[in-house]
Every structure is written in C-alpha cells, then in structure tokens.
Amino acid sequence: MFKTALRNVLAHKARLLMTVLAVMLGVAFVSGTLVFTDTLGSAFRNQSAKSYDKVAVAVSTYGSRDDSERDPGVSGQTLRKMEKLDGVASATGRVDGFAGVAGTDGKLIGQGWANKGGNFAPGKDGKDPAYTFAQGHGPVKDDEIALDKDTADKGEYHVGDSVRVATNGPVRTYRLAGVFTTEDGQVNAGGSLVLFDTAVAQKLYLKPGWFQNVSVAAAPGADAQKILDEVKPLLPENAEAKTGKALAAQEAKDIEEGLSGLNQMLLVFAGIALFVGIFLISNTFTMLVAQRTRELALMRAVGASRGQVRRSVLAEALVVGAVASAIGFALGVGLASGLQSAIGMFGAKVPAGPLVISATPVIAALAVGILVTVIAALLPAWRAAKIPPVAAMNSVHGVATTKSLVVRNSIGGVITLGGAAAIVAGAAAGKDGKYTIGLGAFLALIGIIILIPLLSRPVIALVRPALSKVFGVSGKLASQNAVRNPRRTGATASALAIGLTLVTGLSVLGVTLGTAIDKMTTDNIKADYMVQMAADGSGLDKDVLTALRKAPGVSAVSPTQSSFLKLGGFDESVAAVTPGDIEKVINVETVSGSLATLAQGQIAVDDETAAKHGWKPGARLPVEFSDKKKGQLTIGAVFKKNEFLNTVLAPTSLTDQHDTQPYMPQVFVKTDGGATSANEKALVSALGDNPAISIMDQQDIRNTFGGMINTLLNIMYGLLAMALIIAVLGVVNTLAMSVFERQQEIGMLRAIGLDRGRVKTMIRLEAVVISLFGAVIGVGLGSFLAWAIGQTIKKSIPNYALVIPWDRIGIFLLLAALVGVLAAMWPARSAARLNMLTAIKTE
C-alpha cells in the first residue's frame, strides 16, 4: 500500500504542487524564525561574553548628580583603593550619558535613543582596553573627542575635523582626535558613541572626581570571587558588584528572554499560516479522493481493507509533508540569513557570527510540516475508506453529493452562537473580558468555518441575478458552479476568511485608536510647536526655556516639568507650568476656581483627583516636596482631566525651589502668525541649531503619536501576508481541480456554442465569487471582534469611538476580487484550451 501511495503522489505531482507550496511556506516561516532567533541569541551572547572577558568584577552604582543625601557613585579615592587590592591588575572608572553628534547637514546621526557619550580611560600604556583605535588617539584634552567608526563614516568626519556634539546642555564644538571600533550593543543597534576626556565626561554626566561604574581586571591566576569579596566593603550603599562571569550569564539570560517575545510573535503568525494551509491541504486530498473513487473502489474489490485504504491516503500525506518540510526548512534557513542581512537596512547591525542551525528548528520543521499535512488529510482518508467496492462500476469521478448538511450545520450553529455569546459577554465585562473574548473569537471562527458551506448558498444567491444580468450565461454558470460543491467552496473561502478576519480586526482597531489619539492631540494642544529631546527621552535643560522666551515671534511658552509631591497625605504627580501661558498652549478647561491663581503660588488639581479626595478651590492642604521640605498649599482651581498634564498643576517658581535639576520632557510654544517656516527657523536658531532637540508642529505631533500605530499595522500586514498567499494558492488549487473534474461539462458547453472567452469569464467569475464570499465573512467577523476588543479598552483611551475604515475595507474587498482574477488565470486558460471532442469523451 505504501508503494501504491508513492505511485499516486508521483502520478499527481501537479495537483499536489499547491499543497507542497502551502506546507513549504508555513514550515519556512517556522524554521526561519527559530534559526533567526537562535542566530541572534548566539551572536549577542558571544558579544556579551567577549565584553566581560577581561572583567573580573564589575561595579554599578545608582546614584545621581542631583542626589545630595548620598554619594553620586564611586569616588576616585575608592577607585585607587581598588587598584591596590591583591590580585587586581587594574580598575577602570566609567561615566556615561546622552551625547548626540550632528552630521554635516546639521541633523542627528544615529538612532536617538542609542546615542551616548562616555569617558576615555587610558591605562599606564595610554590605551583604553575597551576600544581599538583605527585612526588617531583617544581624547586627552577638554576640547577633544573620539567617535565610533560607523558614526564617523556617516558624518564623513576625519581626524582633525570639528564636530558639533549635543548633550543635555548647549551644543559644543570639539576637535576629532580619533576614530575607534567597538562591540558596544547600542552602537550596533544603530546609535553612536562619543568619548570625552574623563574630567569632561564627569562634569557632563556626574560630578568631578566620581564614576558611575568600575571594571576591575584581575592579575594572572587571581580569583575573581576573592576580589569581589574585597571590593564590596569599599563600595557606597547605592552600589552593586558582581563577577564578570555572573554579569555575562545574566546578560545572556536577559537576551534570551528579550528574544523570546519576538520568537513567540513570529511563531504565532507562522501558526496562522499553517492553520490556513490546513484548509488547502484538506481540500486537495478531498478532491484527489473524489477523482480516484473508482481506483479506490477497485482496491477494495481486490481485497484491500478500509484501514489499508485509509493508511494509503495518509501515507501520501506523509510523503508530501516530508518533501514540503525539507524544502521549507531549506527556504527557512535562507529566510533567516536574509533577515540577518536586512537588519542593517534599518540602521542596526548584528554582531558577527555564523548562522546557527540547531536540532530544534530541524525537528520542528519536519514535525510541524508532516503533522499538519497528516492532520489535514485525516478527514479525506476517512472518507476514502468508506468508498464501497461497488463504486468501481461507476464513473471515474465521484458524483457531486447533495447529502444533507443538517448535522454539520447544527454543530456549527451551536459553536458559533456560543462564540458570539462569549464575545458579547467579554465586551460587557470591560477590561476584564479580554480572555473571554479570545475564547469566543476562537469558537466563533471555528463555528463560521463549519457553517460556511451552508452560508455559501444564500450569500452567493444574492449576487446571482447581477452576475446573470451583466455577464449573461457565463455569470449564471459561475454562480451555480460556486455553490455546486458547498464543502469545497466553504473550505476555499475559509482560508481567505481567516486572513481577512485578522487583517480587518487589526485595521479597525488601529484606525480607531489612531483617530482617538489624533482627536486627543487636536483637542488639547493649542501650541504651534512642541519642543523636546529628539534622542533618549531625557529632559530639556533650563537654558532651553530661557532661549525660547527670547526667540523673535514667540508669544507664549510653557514647559510641563514633571515632579512629585505628597499633597494632603497622598502622592501626586505634578506638572510645573508657566502661569498665564499654559492656557495659551494647552486647552485647560476650568471646572471651578481660576487658573490665574497659579501666578499667586497656588495649585490646580484635575476634577477626578478633586472628586476622589473631596478637594475644592480654597482648600489648604499640607504638602511634602521632593526635597522632603514641608509646608501648605492652597488649591486655586479644579480643571478637567487632560492627557497632556499631570494630576496637579503648579507654577514653575514653586517647584524650582525644591528641584535643583527639574525634569522637563517638553516645552510648548505659541508664536505670532502660527506655525511658519520663518517661526520654526527662529526657534532653531534660538536653540543654537541643536541636533538633539526636536521642534514639532501640530502635524508632526499627530504623526508622532499616530505613526507608531501605523508602523505596527504595516508590520502585522506583512506578517499576515504569508497566510493570505496560502489562501490564494487554495483558490488556484480549487479551480484547477474543478476544471479537471468538469472536463466533460466544459466540452459540452463548448460544443453547444460557449466560446473560449466566455469559458474564461465563467472560471474567473467563479473565483471572484468564492474570494469575495470569504472576504465578506472575514470583514464581518473581524469588525465584530474589533468592536468587542475596543469595549475592553475604551475607558482608558479618551475620545474612544469605534471607526469603521470603509476605505480600507473597500480596498480589502477589491484585493480579494483581484486575488480571484489572478488565481483563475491558469485554470481559466486551461479550461478554454480544452479540446471539446476529447473533453466530451473523457470519463
């Protein structure tokens, strides 16, 4: 029976091609994901181990330059004590923080969040072991810096050039003393690294004479643990010390955990692709079994048992799955290699290392591909085993059955209703109903898949009159053919329905969230510009506020400095603002009292906080500031909660008395004449043409908040494309086999006058009808799920209101129709080229 199965596979190579492609694509996704993440993990672990290779003990501190109650880090005196310990070869102090390099165009080089500066710490030989200089030398003067090679190449800088560098303070110009190479992770991620002389770096990032971190190198034969035990007593209370090996192991673990999220996300989409592929595979084997009815019946007549027939079909599936898995794995390895190279296109690079192919992706590829194929073939195998020997006297092709689908429809109806009920219940439960909705979505999807054959007749019947009227006989025949075998139509449409359900659900949610965020921005921001750091999320310097106020054309400026205090015994977040200007740049709606009281040193609280604690204007409350000083404050106003402001508003003059280095994430600016190129140029000039500071108008602000959602949607669309490609293959497969089964019928139609053009039109319309049927089901279910999920998050998102993106849905339906047209090209051409006499004689 296995030989028979193998012969059948070889005899139906063309018919099984689509199945092989479906399994191959799914397996490629799975194996490519596993190989890619294994390769990334191995490369980063090797990089981590290399960076700690010469480190016996590493010391990290959590102090701050603004902390007056404890040491800001490790002092130079303590560093010298470490150097004198037994077994210590050297102790190197490090300080770091943000540093952005301006390119020749004045713009920031590198990914802002990964741009940093540090200190050049030469040993007795004048070299810093952490860096290898390709040109020049390390900075040893106040006006010198060194750059990593990638940044120097991007900026076209050479040793001796002047380079503008921005930190959290004013932009300064330095002379480039050297260019170095490094395995620093942030540089590899697309950032930049600027090295300063140690004294300069300490002044910029901490305090003169202090270090944030220390690397201790051991002398040959020294024990790292012993050195660690001797180092610990020397450290301040806010410091932590570990051996280099322990840190490398911890970093390797963190890398693995970080990649696991990416791994799981990619595997979810691989699973979706394989799930869609099940319908294609099952459809293929169902049609093959139907076409081989007489052959299987003859096997039964000559003594083959039902079990042998069943095993014969499953053996075919096993062979197809094994071949497809092997090809898919090879394709997956190529995909992983391509992804590794593609990372560089996004400004990042992976540490050097070979492609890692472990046993896991090999076993997973074979297991997944074979298992999915065999599972998909179970039902066709079961049906094949039920073919009676007497069927050998019938036609080669099985007659299309009109057997009642009552049992199937009843089961599908119950599951669908149960799923819909769970979705509605989850939506009613709010934020606690997400898991209920997830269960309901799974049940509803399964139920719809079961019910699709039943739904095909009434839904397609709605378009039959239009098809007949517009396309005549071809349209009428196409609509009849689409529902002739409802199980086959349902299986084909199901694949498209699954893909469109996910795509539509994501689109509705994405557009809804984007609209809500956009409305939040336009409703709340009156300012023409928002100024913030373009880089690492650090705050702006107070000098920025002074410079903006002096800029020509500026009519109002207010920061939203972030602070905390204990008000009336409760911890509250504070936004320190400029009295009189805040109302001009932010839409602050007063509920009671007056915001003018901010100028008198009073505060304002939002309505939700006021209602929660029973506070009203005029109330005097005890307060404890961030520097632990105490006093009393008067509430002068209650304002409606605003997403761009904290729960408490206070004048900057009040908070500056207690925050020596206030955190200022952004400054809002109103200008005469609104946002114009002249006004923007004036602001840029006032800020010293600082590449690290971003000046955004209202459209830029909207793009910043909404852009993340659009980027995420595009990524999701790309990942779901695999499932949709497999669904398209399913349509091609169904039509090709349908044409093969209907050779006699097509021959008769040609004989009685249906020309080739109308035959092609008939096949194409059949494909379009099936594709649109699946798309309509997917769009409906996806919109329903998006509504339910939206109900669980609406309370946490201001201005949330469900938005159905009809334009995108229209595009999805058009694309589904186009899929039908493209999928029908080969089958339609084959049908039109059939020799009518040969086709009529075909059994």
Side-chain angles (χ1 to χ4, degrees):
M1 293 302 293
F2 182 76
K3 289 181 179 179
T4 302
L6 191 59
R7 281 198 300 270
N8 284 327
V9 170
L10 296 174
H12 302 120
K13 293 187 290 292
R15 301 182 212 175
L16 289 168
L17 177 62
M18 300 301 175
T19 298
V20 171
L21 285 173
V23 179
M24 180 185 73
L25 289 174
V27 169
F29 212 147
V30 171
S31 56
T33 295
L34 294 174
V35 172
F36 177 61
T37 51
D38 282 351
T39 299
L40 278 185
S42 175
F44 283 117
R45 282 193 296 272
N46 290 338
Q47 181 191 59
S48 175
K50 184 179 179 181
S51 63
Y52 289 109
D53 187 37
K54 297 180 181 179
V55 177
V57 173
V59 178
S60 303
T61 64
Y62 304 96
S64 166
R65 65 190 299 177
D66 306 321
D67 195 336
S68 59
E69 295 187 359
R70 57 183 182 178
D71 293 337
V74 176
S75 67
Q77 183 180 4
T78 302
L79 185 69
R80 288 187 288 274
K81 288 180 181 179
M82 292 182 188
E83 289 178 324
K84 295 178 181 178
L85 294 174
D86 289 339
V88 172
S90 65
T92 305
R94 301 287 183 189
V95 286
D96 58 58
F98 167 73
V101 180
T104 52
D105 58 358
K107 296 181 180 179
L108 191 69
I109 296 176
Q111 305 293 329
W113 60 270
N115 291 334
K116 71 174 187 177
N119 65 305
F120 175 67
K124 295 177 181 179
D125 59 356
K127 297 180 180 179
D128 189 327
Y131 311 105
T132 302
F133 277 80
Q135 301 172 34
H137 57 81
V140 291
K141 297 180 181 178
D142 290 355
D143 64 343
E144 291 182 340
I145 61 165
L147 291 178
D148 69 273
K149 190 174 186 303
D150 286 346
T151 303
D153 289 344
K154 290 174 185 175
E156 299 181 358
Y157 289 123
H158 302 92
V159 172
D161 288 349
S162 294
V163 181
R164 297 174 68 247
V165 179
T167 56
N168 291 345
V171 179
R172 284 194 56 187
T173 300
Y174 297 86
R175 189 183 74 85
L176 183 61
V179 176
F180 59 89
T181 57
T182 177
E183 288 296 321
D184 185 278
Q186 286 184 258
V187 175
N188 283 335
S192 63
L193 178 58
V194 182
L195 293 183
F196 301 92
D197 176 64
T198 295
V200 175
Q202 287 176 329
K203 186 178 179 181
L204 284 171
Y205 301 126
L206 203 58
K207 287 183 178 179
W210 293 85
F211 298 94
Q212 291 163 322
N213 307 302
V214 177
S215 297
V216 179
D223 181 46
Q225 186 60 47
K226 184 181 178 182
I227 295 174
L228 176 64
D229 294 338
E230 293 180 350
V231 164
K232 281 184 176 180
L234 302 177
L235 301 178
E237 61 179 13
N238 62 332
E240 180 183 20
K242 290 183 179 180
T243 63
K245 286 185 178 179
L247 278 173
Q250 180 61 47
E251 200 165 297
K253 183 180 178 182
D254 292 342
I255 290 168
E256 189 172 335
E257 290 177 355
L259 290 173
S260 67
L262 172 66
N263 199 23
Q264 290 171 9
M265 183 185 76
L266 292 174
L267 287 176
V268 165
F269 285 95
I272 292 170
L274 287 167
F275 183 60
V276 171
I278 285 175
F279 295 94
L280 190 158
I281 299 164
S282 182
N283 228 4
T284 300
F285 279 97
T286 296
M287 288 184 279
L288 285 175
V289 167
Q291 291 171 9
R292 288 161 45 202
T293 299
R294 187 175 181 184
E295 175 189 329
L296 293 172
L298 282 171
M299 291 173 63
R300 290 292 314 283
V302 298
S305 66
R306 288 188 173 186
Q308 286 178 309
V309 172
R310 189 182 302 115
R311 287 192 293 273
S312 173
V313 176
L314 292 177
E316 288 182 49
L318 183 69
V319 172
V320 171
V323 171
S325 296
I327 299 172
F329 176 74
L331 188 63
V333 171
L335 178 65
S337 179
L339 286 173
Q340 188 180 13
S341 302
I343 289 179
M345 296 172 62
F346 297 96
K349 61 180 181 180
V350 178
L355 205 64
V356 177
I357 303 175
S358 63
T360 302
V362 177
I363 295 171
L366 292 173
V368 167
I370 293 172
L371 193 63
V372 165
T373 311
V374 171
I375 288 174
L378 281 174
L379 187 59
W382 180 74
R383 288 176 180 160
K386 293 181 67 177
I387 295 174
V390 72
M393 294 181 291
N394 296 332
S395 172
V396 170
H397 304 312
V399 180
T401 178
T402 57
K403 183 180 178 181
S404 173
L405 298 172
V406 173
V407 175
R408 173 177 177 151
N409 294 336
S410 299
I411 294 172
V414 170
I415 295 175
T416 303
L417 288 174
I423 292 171
V424 172
K431 64 179 183 180
D432 298 322
K434 294 177 181 177
Y435 292 108
T436 306
I437 291 174
L439 175 63
F442 176 75
L443 292 176
L445 195 58
I446 296 299
I448 290 291
I449 289 169
I450 296 173
L451 281 177
I452 272 186
L454 172 67
L455 297 173
S456 64
R457 290 184 180 277
V459 173
I460 294 175
L462 292 175
V463 299
R464 185 178 297 169
L467 288 175
S468 299
K469 186 174 182 180
V470 176
F471 298 98
V473 174
S474 296
K476 183 177 182 180
L477 290 172
S479 60
Q480 290 175 343
N481 289 334
V483 295
R484 176 182 295 183
N485 190 330
R487 284 190 178 90
R488 181 188 300 169
T489 298
T492 305
S494 293
L496 278 170
I498 294 168
L500 265 297
T501 295
L502 296 170
V503 169
T504 302
L506 288 171
S507 296
V508 172
L509 274 176
V511 171
T512 298
L513 290 174
T515 302
I517 291 172
D518 191 63
K519 191 173 189 302
M520 179 180 70
T521 304
T522 54
D523 286 355
N524 289 320
I525 296 181
K526 292 181 178 179
D528 297 312
Y529 297 100
M530 183 174 78
V531 179
Q532 66 178 23
M533 292 296 288
D536 63 346
S538 59
L540 295 162
D541 192 82
K542 291 286 285 185
D543 292 341
V544 169
L545 200 57
T546 304
L548 288 172
R549 285 177 176 148
K550 294 180 179 178
V554 171
S555 58
V557 176
S558 179
T560 52
Q561 291 176 196
S562 184
S563 184
F564 293 89
L565 51 74
K566 184 168 285 189
L567 187 65
F570 301 98
D571 291 324
E572 301 292 347
S573 58
V574 180
V577 299
T578 304
D581 282 2
I582 185 62
E583 305 97 311
K584 298 176 183 177
V585 295
I586 299 288
N587 186 17
V588 187
E589 186 177 337
T590 305
V591 176
S592 58
S594 172
L595 288 175
T597 56
L598 290 173
Q600 302 166 18
Q602 297 183 13
I603 61 172
V605 296
D606 71 42
D607 53 350
E608 292 184 10
T609 303
K612 180 180 177 182
H613 301 309
W615 295 339
K616 295 181 180 179
R620 284 185 64 78
L621 301 173
V623 61
E624 181 179 311
F625 294 97
S626 57
D627 59 358
K628 306 301 181 184
K629 292 182 180 180
K630 298 181 180 180
Q632 283 194 325
L633 288 175
T634 301
I635 296 178
V638 174
F639 64 94
K640 188 174 181 181
K641 185 174 181 180
N642 189 301
E643 296 303 315
F644 287 88
L645 298 172
N646 292 340
T647 57
V648 177
L649 293 183
T652 53
S653 58
L654 175 65
T655 59
D656 285 353
Q657 298 174 28
H658 305 279
D659 293 334
T660 55
Q661 292 288 332
Y663 176 59
M664 192 190 304
Q666 62 265 323
V667 176
F668 293 96
V669 182
K670 189 77 173 174
T671 57
D672 297 329
T676 64
S677 58
N679 281 335
E680 183 175 346
K681 187 176 180 180
L683 296 182
V684 170
S685 178
L687 294 173
D689 199 14
N690 192 323
I693 296 179
S694 171
I695 300 173
M696 296 186 287
D697 60 21
Q698 286 209 3
Q699 187 59 51
D700 292 330
I701 298 170
R702 292 164 68 184
N703 292 341
T704 298
F705 289 107
M708 293 182 289
I709 293 175
N710 290 329
T711 300
L712 185 61
L713 274 178
N714 290 334
I715 291 172
M716 295 299 181
Y717 289 158
L719 292 172
L720 286 171
M722 187 72 73
L724 292 175
I725 289 172
I726 293 174
V728 172
L729 293 177
V731 178
V732 176
N733 202 34
T734 296
L735 291 173
M737 292 199 172
S738 178
V739 168
F740 180 81
E741 288 180 359
R742 286 157 34 202
Q743 288 187 60
Q744 273 190 329
E745 175 188 321
I746 293 170
M748 288 295 296
L749 289 171
R750 292 275 288 111
I752 61 176
L754 196 68
D755 59 29
R756 289 184 174 182
R758 289 183 180 179
V759 169
K760 288 182 179 180
T761 302
M762 176 185 71
I763 302 299
R764 287 169 184 159
L765 288 175
E766 183 180 344
V768 170
V769 167
I770 293 173
S771 299
L772 283 175
F773 170 56
V776 168
I777 297 293
V779 166
L781 185 56
S783 300
F784 179 49
L785 288 175
W787 165 80
I789 295 171
Q791 295 300 110
T792 67
I793 60 175
K794 65 184 295 184
K795 289 185 178 179
S796 60
I797 299 175
N799 304 310
Y800 182 90
L802 186 71
V803 177
I804 303 296
W806 296 110
D807 54 342
R808 296 196 187 194
I809 288 176
I811 291 172
F812 296 156
L813 294 176
L814 285 174
L815 287 175
L818 181 62
V819 161
V821 172
L822 294 176
M825 288 179 65
W826 172 48
R829 188 166 180 269
S830 299
R833 294 181 65 184
L834 282 175
N835 184 293
M836 65 181 74
L837 295 179
T838 304
I840 292 171
K841 291 189 294 180
T842 301
E843 288 190 344

